[in-house]
Structures are given as C-alpha cells and as structure tokens.
Amino acid sequence: MEPKDIIGFVAGFGTTFAALPDLIAMLRRRSSVGMNPRMAAILGTFQILWVAYGLMIGSRNIVLWNVIAVVTNYLTVGAYLYFHRRETRS
C-alpha cells in the first residue's frame, strides 16, 4: 500500500465516523434532546456527491467511506426524527 493510499484510508475512516458519537449518544439516551439533525442531513447530502465523484474517478476509498458516511448521517437524522416525534407525543 502506498503512502497516499494509507492517508486516504485514514482520512476516510476519520471523517466517515465523525458523526457516530452523536448517533450512539442519542440511541443510549433514547432522546433527541440537544441534537440538531441539520448537520447530519447536510453532510449526508454532500457525501452523496462525493460518492458520485469517487465513481467518476474510480476511487474505491472515496466511494466506500462516503457510502458508509451517508448511511451513518441519515441514520442519525432518522433516529432524531423518531425520538423527537416520541417526545412531542408524550
């Protein structure tokens, strides 16, 4: 593996899982309190463009990490909506 591939792998890993702590915290608390889903929604939307870009240039690292990031970010938005609806009904 070349140094540029290692850097791409580490960078992809770090940025992909940056939203994971928020998702985990929300799931543990079972609450949307203190969360704002806009950031995750915006990131997920633009990461779709990164997936398209990765496909165009043939970069598996870009495609793989951003597909995982899109899923993570939209899971965060989904969890927020689920818990927020539950909280407003109570």
Side-chain angles (χ1 to χ4, degrees), residues 22-73:
D22 285 340
L23 176 59
I24 291 169
M26 196 172 8
L27 293 173
R28 282 187 180 157
R29 283 193 323 263
R30 298 197 177 282
S31 172
S32 67
V33 174
M35 297 300 297
N36 186 334
R38 286 186 202 118
M39 177 79 158
I42 291 167
L43 281 172
T45 300
F46 283 99
Q47 284 161 332
I48 291 169
L49 294 176
W50 276 110
V51 171
Y53 175 70
L55 290 169
M56 285 186 239
I57 66 168
S59 173
R60 281 186 243 159
N61 272 339
I62 292 175
V63 172
L64 174 69
W65 289 125
N66 283 287
V67 165
I68 295 168
V70 167
V71 170
T72 301
N73 280 301

Side-chain angles (χ1 to χ4, degrees), residues 2 4 6 13 18 70 74 77:
E2 292 184 38
K4 68 179 175 99
I6 294 169
F13 180 84
V70 167
Y74 284 116
V77 172

